């Protein structure tokens, strides 16, 4: 399949290039950027020299649709909703990595993203591409989930779908490396502020909260809300999520572990750790895996789920390629058998 990438110079766009270049069924035919038009990609990103010999082009939907069969949007939120209109009206396949098409309810995008939303009918038409769960998209407009949302939903899915927890007891403590904040500098992302430091940000206001709730309530309408916090940690890649919830009844450690092992038995990119083993960031960096460890406190009845994923792969570009595989009807692991980078 011939593909184009809009927003190729951001971290997710750069990661898309890495994954698509080694994908056996894709060819990148054009790359597009607002800020670096006219340059060869290797001038801007020297690590791509002799790997991708394409110029950075302006964004012209008609020209893109003539040359490509699908377009990836790796743009910041607020951009794809404007540019994608021509593609949506032409029923041209889109995989959007921003948050512009994830939220269905009227007014939610405005509340959480502080911006005007895409047309309401576009939002209803979009498919929320949680790729481990939905293998047959019902639309050519794929809204790729957010990185925190992906990890949180994979953490909670077995508990929610099996009805094991008190629905008002969910607490999520999520931490991300600096690449999750994007390329634009802020005070919190300066080296002197992030090195050897940890900073909590967007308390109770992170834009991934509504898409997490949207999906959780699709699984169980009785979930009223979650407590969700996010922090920056001094690593380049990786998300580390610790999730807590109270069980409805007395369980055992083995029952919880068996639930997760059975639930993810046929999910190739979710690896449940052995009992009493909890994952670390190093074991997933550069891969499309989400690794999960679970614990149960028989005194407090609290279930703890420890989840790690690479925010640029599983949380962005890798899931986008996973969705591409679903859309094209290819085996879901095509081009995604990525060995984690260690050490």
């Amino acid at each position: 399949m011939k593909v184009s990438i809009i927003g190729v110079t951001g971290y997710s766009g750069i990661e898309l290039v890495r994954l698509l270049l080694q994908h056996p069924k894709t060819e990148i035919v054009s790359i597009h950027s607002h800020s670096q038009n006219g340059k060869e990609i290797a001038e801007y990103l020297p690590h791509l020299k002799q790997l991708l010999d394409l110029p950075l082009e302006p964004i012209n939907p008609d020209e893109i649709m003539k040359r490509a069969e699908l377009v990836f949007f790796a743009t910041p939120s607020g951009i794809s909703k404007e540019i994608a209109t021509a593609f949506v009206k032409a029923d041209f396949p889109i995989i959007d990595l921003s948050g512009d098409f994830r939220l269905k309810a009227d007014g939610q995008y405005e509340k959480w993203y502080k911006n005007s939303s895409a047309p309401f009918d576009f939002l209803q038409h979009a498919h929320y591409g949680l790729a481990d769960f939905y293998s047959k998209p019902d639309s050519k407009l794929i809204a790729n989930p957010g990185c925190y949302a992906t990890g949180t939903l994979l953490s909670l899915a077995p508990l929610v779908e099996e009805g094991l927890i008190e629905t008002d007891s969910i607490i999520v403590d999520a931490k991300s490396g600096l690449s999750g904040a994007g390329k634009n500098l802020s005070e919190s992302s300066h080296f002197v502020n992030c090195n050897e430091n940890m900073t909590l940000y967007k308390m109770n206001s992170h834009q991934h909260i509504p898409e997490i709730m949207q999906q959780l309530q699709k699984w169980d309408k009785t979930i009223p809300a979650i407590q969700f916090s996010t922090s920056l940690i001094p690593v380049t890649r990786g998300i580390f999520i610790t999730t807590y919830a109270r069980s409805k009844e007395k369980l055992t450690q083995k029952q919880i572990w068996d639930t997760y092992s059975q639930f993810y038995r046929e999910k190739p990119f979710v690896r449940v750790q052995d009992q009493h083993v909890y994952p670390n960031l190093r074991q997933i960096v550069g891969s499309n895996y989400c690794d999960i460890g679970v614990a149960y406190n028989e005194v407090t009845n609290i279930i703890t789920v420890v989840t790690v994923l690479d925010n640029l792969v599983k949380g962005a570009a890798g899931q986008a390629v996973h969705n591409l595989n679903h859309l094209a009807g290819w085996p879901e692991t095509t081009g995604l058998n990525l060995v984690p980078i260690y050490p």
Side-chain angles (χ1 to χ4, degrees):
M1 182 179 287
K2 295 179 178 180
V3 302
S4 295
I5 304 171
I6 295 176
V8 72
T9 58
Y11 290 142
S12 295
I14 293 167
E15 194 69 358
L16 269 175
V17 170
R18 182 175 79 91
L19 300 186
L20 293 170
L21 282 178
Q22 55 83 54
H23 194 290
K25 293 183 178 289
T26 60
E27 176 190 358
I28 302 172
V29 293
S30 68
I31 52 178
H32 305 266
S33 167
H34 272 300
S35 59
Q36 302 294 331
N37 292 332
K39 293 184 178 180
E40 292 290 320
I41 186 66
E43 290 182 57
Y44 186 71
L45 299 169
H47 73 284
L48 293 176
K49 189 174 180 64
Q50 297 181 16
L51 296 174
L52 184 64
D53 296 321
L54 288 175
L56 289 159
E57 301 180 30
I59 301 165
N60 184 321
D62 291 334
E63 288 299 316
I64 292 171
M65 287 188 279
K66 287 177 184 176
R67 295 155 64 184
E69 297 166 88
L70 178 142
V71 62
F72 290 95
F73 278 85
T75 52
S77 63
I79 294 176
S80 61
K81 67 184 176 68
E82 305 292 341
I83 302 172
T85 302
F87 296 97
V88 175
K89 288 181 177 178
D91 198 28
F92 190 83
I94 296 170
I95 298 178
D96 178 47
L97 280 70
S98 80
D100 284 4
F101 298 100
R102 295 174 190 159
L103 303 180
K104 303 288 189 182
D106 193 22
Q108 284 286 284
Y109 185 88
E110 288 86 347
K111 175 182 176 180
W112 292 91
Y113 285 84
K114 312 303 180 188
N115 200 343
S116 59
S117 75
F120 185 73
D121 58 333
F122 285 14
L123 300 178
Q124 304 313 302
H125 177 62
H127 167 82
Y128 186 67
L130 190 61
D132 293 289
F133 287 84
Y134 302 110
S135 59
K136 294 181 179 179
D138 52 11
S139 169
K140 291 181 182 178
L141 172 57
I142 310 296
N144 216 55
C147 51
Y148 281 129
T150 298
T152 301
L153 292 169
L154 292 175
S155 300
L156 286 166
L159 302 178
V160 173
E161 296 238 58
E162 298 296 327
L164 297 179
I165 58 173
E166 298 290 348
T167 56
D168 62 352
S169 70
I170 298 170
I171 298 174
V172 181
D173 178 17
K175 305 172 183 69
S176 174
L178 267 291
S179 61
K183 292 181 74 175
N184 291 332
L185 286 177
S186 65
E187 186 171 345
S188 63
S189 64
H190 277 271
F191 180 82
V192 292
N193 291 328
C194 64
N195 183 51
E196 298 182 353
N197 197 8
M198 174 175 157
T199 307
L200 190 145
Y201 70 104
K202 294 187 178 180
M203 187 65 181
N204 298 324
S205 61
H206 197 282
Q207 67 271 18
H208 291 177
I209 293 173
E211 66 175 279
I212 294 169
M213 285 305 304
Q214 178 178 267
Q215 185 61 43
L216 288 177
Q217 290 179 336
K218 190 172 182 179
W219 290 332
D220 184 344
K221 293 180 180 179
T222 68
I223 296 176
I226 61 172
Q227 181 60 44
F228 185 84
S229 64
T230 51
S231 300
L232 287 177
I233 53 177
V235 298
T236 300
R237 291 172 179 249
I239 285 180
F240 192 108
I241 301 174
T242 312
T243 302
Y244 308 92
R246 180 175 290 106
S247 63
K248 284 182 177 178
E249 57 189 46
K250 284 286 185 182
L251 299 169
T252 66
Q253 168 72 27
K254 188 172 187 306
Q255 283 177 302
I256 294 295
W257 184 81
D258 284 343
T259 297
Y260 274 78
S261 296
Q262 285 294 109
F263 191 88
Y264 285 120
R265 184 179 69 255
E266 296 181 1
K267 308 291 187 186
F269 296 118
V270 181
R271 304 188 298 189
V272 177
Q273 311 296 280
D274 293 340
Q275 286 198 69
H276 308 295
V277 175
Y278 307 99
N280 61 73
L281 289 179
R282 184 68 72 185
Q283 68 192 56
I284 49 80
V285 170
S287 80
N288 197 52
Y289 291 114
C290 174
D291 287 0
I292 296 177
V294 293
Y296 180 67
N297 187 324
E298 296 183 13
V299 177
T300 63
N301 293 335
I302 296 295
I303 300 164
T304 302
V305 185
V306 180
T307 302
V308 295
L309 68 155
D310 187 318
N311 54 291
L312 295 181
V313 189
K314 184 64 175 172
Q319 184 155 217
V321 173
H322 196 173
N323 277 313
L324 167 67
N325 291 340
H326 287 325
L327 196 62
W330 301 327
E332 62 183 312
T333 57
T334 306
L336 288 173
N337 290 315
L338 307 166
V339 178
I341 300 167
Y342 190 92

